Every structure is written in C-alpha cells, then in structure tokens.
Amino acid sequence: MFRSRMWPFLLLVINLKGADPRQLALQRGVDLGTAVDAQHLSESQYAAVLASQYSQVEPENEMKWRIIHPAPGVYSFAAGDAIVNFAVQHGMKVRGHTLTGDTQLPAWLSDPGLTPSGLQTILEEHITTVVKHYAGRVYAWDVLNEAYADDGTLLPGIWLNTPGIGVPGTGYMELALRWAHAADPAARLFYNDEDDTGLGITPKTDAIYRMAQDFLSRGVPLHGIGMQMHVTAGGVSIPGLVANIKRLTDLGLEVQITEMDVRLPVANLAGASAAELDSQAQVYHDVASACLQFPKCTAIQTWGFTDRYSWIPTAFPGFGDALPLDINYQPKPAWNSIADALASPSTASPANYYRISSGQFLNMGSRSTGAIAPGEMLYFAAPSGPGALVQGSPAAGKYPNSLAGMQVTFDGVPAPLIAAQNGFVIAVAPYEIAAHSSAAVQFDYLGNSSNPISLPVEPAVPGLFTATSTGAGAGLIFDRNFALVSASNPARAGDLIFLSITGEGVSQPAGVTGLSQPYRIFTPLEPLSVTIGGVPAAVAVVWSGPAGLPGMSQIGVYVPPGIPAGNAPVSVRLGGASTQAAVTVALR
Ligand code: XIL
C-alpha cells in the first residue's frame, strides 16, 4: 500500500522533467542557460518562460562584488539567493559570476590606503565567503573574468598591479582558483572571457590557452573556459571558434558558451529587418552546432533571453534585438535556429550524442547537485534511453541493475535502477563506493557507453523528499498511519512522524546495494540529529520504510512541544551535512 502511495510522488518528478523543452538540450548533453536578473523573477511570464525553457541560470549582476560585497566586511546575498532559490525550485543549475574581474568593483576597493597584502587578504576572504555561501548550489564559477587584452598581455588591474595582491603575472589567478577550490571542492572553476570575433584563434585566446596549459600542468584547479560570445551578426569565425574549442577540450577542459548575444544595428527595440533576423539566427545556429560537436562543450547560454531585458541597447547604443525571444517573449528566427541545431543529428556523432556532464544530476530529495553519498538516490539527465517510462521492480528481493537496456555503474559497480526514460535515469549509488573519495559514473544504453564523469563522494549528502518533488515546501512526511502530513492532516506535539530522506550514507548494520528490505532498522554511521521549528526532535527509529525502496529511508521522530501551529521548518543533520533549507511540516 505504501508503495502505491509512493509512486505518484516519484512520477510527479518524472513528468515535470519530461515536459520541459529544455530536455532537448539535456538529451544532447548540454545545458541551455541564460543570464537572469533577480528583479524580473516576480514577473509571471518571465518566470514561466525561464523555468520551462532553460536548464541553467547565471545571475547577470547579483553575484558581482559591487552588489554582493558592497562595503568592507558587508555581504549582501539576498539578490543572488533569490536566483539560486528559483533555480533550485525549478531543478535548474546555477553558474556563479564573477569572483574576480575588474569591472563593477565597489569603490571601497580603490582605497589608496590598501596595500597588496591587505588586498590579498580581502580577495581570499571574499572568494572563500561567497563560494562557501553557495557551495552545493552553484555548480560552476567564473573565478576569473576578462583578464587578458586583445594582444594577449594581462590587463592592468587592482588584482594584478594597481596595486596588485603582491604576486606577479598569472599568480593572482592561480591563487583565486586555489581559494575557490578550497571553499567548494565540487565546484567547476572557469576562466571566462570575450572577444568580438567569437573567440577563434587570436593572440588573446593563444594567451588563455597557454595559461590553461600551464595551470593544468601544475595541478592548479582550472576546469573550464567560458566563452562570452557577445558578437555581431557578421563577426564570428566559426572555423576559428571550432579550432579553439578543440584545442581547449583536448587539454581536458570543459568549454561553455556563457554570455551569447548577437546584436543587430537597430534603434532601441525598434525591430530589425527579416534579413537581419535571419543572419542573426544563422550565428546562433552555428555557434550552438560548434559547441555540440564537442562532448566537453557543456553549455549554451545566452545573456538574457528576451529583448525586453538586455544590456545591449545601453552598452552598445544603436544596437539591440540581440536575444532569441522578442520583447513579447515570442520566438524569433534565432530561437528556432537554436532548436534546430539541438534537434539536428547532423552534428551528432554517436560519441558526442552519448555524453553526460558532471552537473547533470540531482539528489532525488533535495533536487540539488554537488557531491554524492553511498546509498543516495540520484536523478541523472541521461543522454538516451527507452521511449516510455520503465520502472524497476525487485526480482528475488533486489532492484535491477539493467532497465530496458540502460545500465549505470559507479567505479564499475552496477547501480540499482529505480526508473528510466529517454532523458533521465534514477539510480542509487552503490554502498561499495563508501571508501572512495570520488566515483567514476558511466552510463550504458543498448551497448553504447557514455564518457565517465567523476563525482566527489562524501559520507552523507542528505536530502529530504518533498510532497511536490521540487526539493522545497512541504516534506514527504507521513503520520503513524502512513497518511501524508499536510495542511489538512497536520501533526501535533508528541506525534511520531516519518521523514522521507536519501543520502544518509552507510549504516550499522550495513545496507546491501539494491536490496529491497522493508522496515530494515539501522543506525547511520554519521551522527544524526533532527530539528523541527528549530527545536531538537527525538529520533525514534531510522528504517528503510514500508516500501523498502533502495535509496529512500525514513526517520521516525517525535514532534517536540511548544512549536507554533503552521508550517515549521524541518532539518536533518548527518555528520557535517544538513538537508536543504525550505522543507516544512504542517503542525496544528
Ligand atoms: C553586464 C550586465 O549585463 C549589465 O547589466 C551591467 O550593467 C554590466 O555588466 N561581460 C561580462 C558581464 O562578464 O558581467 C557583463 O554584464 C557583460 C559583459
């Protein structure tokens, strides 16, 4: 009975995902991203288009120094948090932008009294604070932005030499990467830059290439190069772009198109000619196709999505109409051309069709990405799979390692599969990876193997399942009759309630990978504590629950007295890790 109650919740997750047009991009192994402006998130049309069409967002300004660190020692995370929360609610990934770079710095950083050693301390503290604040929620950072001039020399600036932080050349860049890596070892760290010719082979991209080569050879944590791609309709050399993406990905780096717009010479929002819109569409198509040729080109992101809101008319007076949707959110030829590129098999060799990248997985409970834990139930955006939904069911007590031709391995150990469909697979990380610091995850569908992706392993990555499967709001919490606790069935002080959780890690006695074992009672090895309404709640039992679904456990806790009626926050801590914020239980 519990099983039949459970499935609708899992299916809701599946249906929300399946309906998204952004799946087209995810099936090709890339994210479709856009810059967003926090102040527009409250506009329903803006929010609806964003959430339904894109899999990734990047704050246009909200994480820049000027906004996030406006005065010494003062951090202002509200606007950045609003974007991150929106993304988490809608299962989107977040790129952070930008930790260095010389534009849009607050005036206090230009204080002539600041010494290089003082500035070094400030930069380290800034990077550490901001990256830690968003750890686990921002999967990739532009650590470095626009450091090079067109001739390939380093641009003068406060981190380099005016006055600098006291280290020569690319030294400040190296330190910035090392600090960011220490603050969030799972985050992908990028160098991001622009070039009017679309970042082909130029003195500037040669210099970026040499910097990357040097950093990689010395183990400096650089994972990718962002190509801004603020271009004009005639400006881009596609062969040059392809050559540059090739040499960078050959180094093992990821490449992402991070800020694309194609500006047209029009008066503000007056509208371009059909011919201009077509030539713009061609550029979007060709850049997207160039990216799609490379398994390690992992995102196609535009700098905004609607001409209603674009930086172009202000930054480039006389230009506009630069984005794929018009001011009324209607598709322009550019929008259709990006879809064409994504749908076109012509650029998709089997090898690059079947690929995954590290960010495309979520904890099934929290819906957030980061590290993984043994026994955690995970949602992966899979590049291929069966046309219709296939659900795993236990045979001889064990969930299958193969579902309609789909297999997933973690360091070679086959994972139990819960469900699969073209576009995603829900798998449980085997307990066998417990002693590993990272695991190579690989997919196989009908004999076609994906590239392996390396994911960091932590002892526990707890996530609470929620009633709407969004990772936020009412928890998937049951009363002692296994009825859902909700506003119409609130719990009261002293009640025993069961929180649904994944990612609690290994236990005593140890769990067996894939085994369906209803009511298996265990103690997680990581120290466990629960709060409800901020008050510690006594734990009665931890068990696999009546469904015995691998990767989904239940914590039975007593609701503490004295908590006001209404929605009280619920939090579970296991060792050093906590469940996501914003999960509640209805109390009366
Ligand atoms: C731009 C924003 O879009 C504007 O709103 C702001 O006024 C200036 O900065 N390259 C970058 C981005 O890395 O941070 C810039 O964003 C656009 C160029």
CSV table of all heavy atoms in Angstrom, one decimal, residues 58 60-61 64 66 97-98 103-104 142 145-146 192 194 228 230 259 303 310-311, ligand 1:
chain,number,residue,atom,x,y,z
A,58,GLU,N,22.3,32.1,-14.7
A,58,GLU,CA,23.5,32.8,-14.2
A,58,GLU,C,23.1,34.2,-13.8
A,58,GLU,O,22.5,34.9,-14.6
A,58,GLU,CB,24.6,32.8,-15.2
A,58,GLU,CG,25.8,33.6,-14.8
A,58,GLU,CD,27.0,33.4,-15.7
A,58,GLU,OE1,27.2,32.2,-16.2
A,58,GLU,OE2,27.7,34.4,-16.0
A,60,GLU,N,23.0,37.9,-13.7
A,60,GLU,CA,23.6,38.9,-14.6
A,60,GLU,C,24.6,39.8,-13.9
A,60,GLU,O,25.6,40.2,-14.4
A,60,GLU,CB,22.5,39.7,-15.4
A,60,GLU,CG,23.1,40.6,-16.5
A,60,GLU,CD,22.0,41.1,-17.4
A,60,GLU,OE1,20.9,40.6,-17.4
A,60,GLU,OE2,22.3,42.1,-18.1
A,61,ASN,N,24.1,40.2,-12.7
A,61,ASN,CA,25.0,41.1,-11.9
A,61,ASN,C,25.0,40.8,-10.4
A,61,ASN,O,25.9,41.3,-9.7
A,61,ASN,CB,24.4,42.6,-12.0
A,61,ASN,CG,24.6,43.1,-13.4
A,61,ASN,OD1,25.7,43.3,-13.9
A,61,ASN,ND2,23.5,43.4,-14.0
A,64,LYS,N,28.2,39.9,-8.4
A,64,LYS,CA,29.4,40.7,-8.6
A,64,LYS,C,29.7,41.5,-7.3
A,64,LYS,O,28.8,41.7,-6.5
A,64,LYS,CB,29.2,41.7,-9.8
A,64,LYS,CG,29.1,41.0,-11.1
A,64,LYS,CD,28.7,41.9,-12.2
A,64,LYS,CE,28.6,41.2,-13.6
A,64,LYS,NZ,28.0,42.0,-14.6
A,66,ARG,N,30.3,44.5,-6.5
A,66,ARG,CA,29.6,45.7,-6.2
A,66,ARG,C,28.3,45.4,-5.4
A,66,ARG,O,27.8,46.2,-4.6
A,66,ARG,CB,29.3,46.4,-7.6
A,66,ARG,CG,28.4,47.5,-7.7
A,66,ARG,CD,28.5,48.1,-9.1
A,66,ARG,NE,28.0,47.2,-10.2
A,66,ARG,CZ,26.7,47.1,-10.5
A,66,ARG,NH1,25.8,47.7,-9.8
A,66,ARG,NH2,26.4,46.3,-11.5
A,97,HIS,N,28.9,34.1,-11.1
A,97,HIS,CA,29.6,35.1,-11.9
A,97,HIS,C,29.7,36.4,-11.1
A,97,HIS,O,28.7,36.9,-10.8
A,97,HIS,CB,28.8,35.3,-13.2
A,97,HIS,CG,29.4,36.4,-14.1
A,97,HIS,ND1,30.4,36.2,-15.0
A,97,HIS,CD2,29.0,37.7,-14.3
A,97,HIS,CE1,30.6,37.3,-15.7
A,97,HIS,NE2,29.8,38.2,-15.3
A,98,THR,N,30.9,36.9,-10.8
A,98,THR,CA,32.2,36.5,-11.1
A,98,THR,C,33.0,36.9,-9.9
A,98,THR,O,32.7,37.9,-9.2
A,98,THR,CB,32.7,37.2,-12.4
A,98,THR,OG1,34.2,36.9,-12.5
A,98,THR,CG2,32.5,38.7,-12.4
A,103,THR,N,35.8,44.9,-13.7
A,103,THR,CA,34.6,45.7,-13.9
A,103,THR,C,33.7,45.6,-12.7
A,103,THR,O,33.6,44.5,-12.1
A,103,THR,CB,33.9,45.4,-15.2
A,103,THR,OG1,33.6,44.0,-15.2
A,103,THR,CG2,34.7,45.8,-16.4
A,104,GLN,N,32.9,46.6,-12.4
A,104,GLN,CA,31.9,46.6,-11.4
A,104,GLN,C,32.4,46.2,-10.0
A,104,GLN,O,31.8,45.4,-9.3
A,104,GLN,CB,30.8,45.7,-11.9
A,104,GLN,CG,30.2,46.1,-13.2
A,104,GLN,CD,29.2,45.2,-13.7
A,104,GLN,OE1,28.1,45.1,-13.2
A,104,GLN,NE2,29.5,44.4,-14.8
A,142,ASP,N,32.6,31.4,-12.6
A,142,ASP,CA,33.6,32.3,-13.2
A,142,ASP,C,34.5,32.8,-12.1
A,142,ASP,O,34.1,33.8,-11.5
A,142,ASP,CB,32.9,33.4,-14.0
A,142,ASP,CG,32.2,32.9,-15.3
A,142,ASP,OD1,32.6,31.8,-15.8
A,142,ASP,OD2,31.3,33.6,-15.7
A,145,ASN,N,37.6,36.6,-14.8
A,145,ASN,CA,36.8,37.2,-15.9
A,145,ASN,C,37.6,38.3,-16.6
A,145,ASN,O,38.1,39.2,-15.9
A,145,ASN,CB,35.5,37.8,-15.3
A,145,ASN,CG,34.4,38.0,-16.4
A,145,ASN,OD1,34.2,37.2,-17.3
A,145,ASN,ND2,33.7,39.1,-16.3
A,146,GLU,N,37.7,38.2,-17.9
A,146,GLU,CA,38.3,39.2,-18.7
A,146,GLU,C,39.7,39.7,-18.2
A,146,GLU,O,39.9,40.9,-17.9
A,146,GLU,CB,37.3,40.4,-18.8
A,146,GLU,CG,36.0,40.0,-19.4
A,146,GLU,CD,35.0,41.1,-19.3
A,146,GLU,OE1,35.3,42.2,-18.8
A,146,GLU,OE2,33.8,40.9,-19.9
A,192,ASN,N,36.7,33.0,-17.8
A,192,ASN,CA,35.7,33.4,-18.7
A,192,ASN,C,36.2,34.7,-19.5
A,192,ASN,O,36.7,35.6,-18.8
A,192,ASN,CB,34.4,33.8,-17.9
A,192,ASN,CG,33.2,34.0,-18.7
A,192,ASN,OD1,32.8,33.2,-19.5
A,192,ASN,ND2,32.5,35.2,-18.5
A,194,GLU,N,35.8,37.4,-23.3
A,194,GLU,CA,35.1,37.8,-24.5
A,194,GLU,C,36.1,38.1,-25.6
A,194,GLU,O,37.3,38.3,-25.4
A,194,GLU,CB,34.3,39.0,-24.2
A,194,GLU,CG,35.2,40.1,-23.6
A,194,GLU,CD,34.8,41.5,-24.1
A,194,GLU,OE1,33.8,41.7,-24.8
A,194,GLU,OE2,35.6,42.5,-23.8
A,228,GLN,N,32.3,34.1,-23.7
A,228,GLN,CA,31.2,35.0,-23.6
A,228,GLN,C,30.3,35.1,-24.8
A,228,GLN,O,29.1,35.0,-24.8
A,228,GLN,CB,31.6,36.4,-23.2
A,228,GLN,CG,32.3,36.5,-21.8
A,228,GLN,CD,32.6,37.9,-21.3
A,228,GLN,OE1,32.3,38.9,-22.0
A,228,GLN,NE2,33.2,38.0,-20.2
A,230,HIS,N,29.7,37.8,-27.0
A,230,HIS,CA,28.9,39.0,-27.3
A,230,HIS,C,29.3,39.4,-28.7
A,230,HIS,O,30.4,40.0,-28.8
A,230,HIS,CB,29.2,40.1,-26.3
A,230,HIS,CG,28.8,39.8,-24.9
A,230,HIS,ND1,27.4,39.7,-24.5
A,230,HIS,CD2,29.5,39.5,-23.8
A,230,HIS,CE1,27.4,39.4,-23.2
A,230,HIS,NE2,28.6,39.2,-22.7
A,259,GLU,N,27.7,33.8,-22.5
A,259,GLU,CA,27.0,35.1,-22.4
A,259,GLU,C,26.6,35.5,-23.8
A,259,GLU,O,26.6,36.6,-24.2
A,259,GLU,CB,27.9,36.2,-21.9
A,259,GLU,CG,28.5,35.9,-20.5
A,259,GLU,CD,29.3,37.0,-19.9
A,259,GLU,OE1,29.2,38.1,-20.4
A,259,GLU,OE2,29.9,36.8,-18.8
A,303,TRP,N,22.9,35.8,-22.9
A,303,TRP,CA,23.0,36.8,-21.9
A,303,TRP,C,21.6,37.5,-21.8
A,303,TRP,O,21.4,38.6,-22.2
A,303,TRP,CB,24.1,37.8,-22.2
A,303,TRP,CG,24.6,38.5,-21.0
A,303,TRP,CD1,24.7,39.9,-20.8
A,303,TRP,CD2,25.2,37.9,-19.8
A,303,TRP,NE1,25.2,40.1,-19.5
A,303,TRP,CE2,25.6,39.0,-18.9
A,303,TRP,CE3,25.4,36.6,-19.4
A,303,TRP,CZ2,26.1,38.7,-17.7
A,303,TRP,CZ3,26.0,36.4,-18.1
A,303,TRP,CH2,26.4,37.4,-17.3
A,310,SER,N,17.7,43.4,-22.0
A,310,SER,CA,19.0,43.1,-22.5
A,310,SER,C,20.0,44.3,-22.2
A,310,SER,O,19.5,45.4,-22.2
A,310,SER,CB,18.9,42.8,-24.0
A,310,SER,OG,20.2,42.9,-24.6
A,311,TRP,N,21.2,44.0,-21.9
A,311,TRP,CA,22.2,45.0,-21.6
A,311,TRP,C,22.6,45.7,-22.9
A,311,TRP,O,23.2,46.8,-22.9
A,311,TRP,CB,23.4,44.4,-20.9
A,311,TRP,CG,24.3,43.7,-21.8
A,311,TRP,CD1,24.0,42.7,-22.6
A,311,TRP,CD2,25.8,43.9,-21.9
A,311,TRP,NE1,25.2,42.2,-23.3
A,311,TRP,CE2,26.2,43.0,-22.8
A,311,TRP,CE3,26.6,44.8,-21.3
A,311,TRP,CZ2,27.6,42.9,-23.2
A,311,TRP,CZ3,28.0,44.7,-21.6
A,311,TRP,CH2,28.4,43.8,-22.6
B,1,XIL,C1,26.9,43.3,-17.8
B,1,XIL,C2,25.5,43.3,-17.4
B,1,XIL,O1,24.7,42.6,-18.4
B,1,XIL,C3,25.0,44.7,-17.2
B,1,XIL,O2,23.7,44.7,-16.7
B,1,XIL,C4,25.9,45.5,-16.3
B,1,XIL,O3,25.5,46.9,-16.3
B,1,XIL,C5,27.3,45.5,-16.9
B,1,XIL,O4,27.7,44.1,-17.0
B,1,XIL,N1,30.8,40.5,-19.8
B,1,XIL,C6,30.5,40.1,-18.5
B,1,XIL,C7,29.3,40.5,-17.8
B,1,XIL,O5,31.3,39.3,-18.0
B,1,XIL,O6,29.4,40.6,-16.4
B,1,XIL,C8,28.7,41.8,-18.4
B,1,XIL,O7,27.4,42.0,-17.8
B,1,XIL,C9,28.6,41.7,-19.9
B,1,XIL,C10,30.0,41.5,-20.5
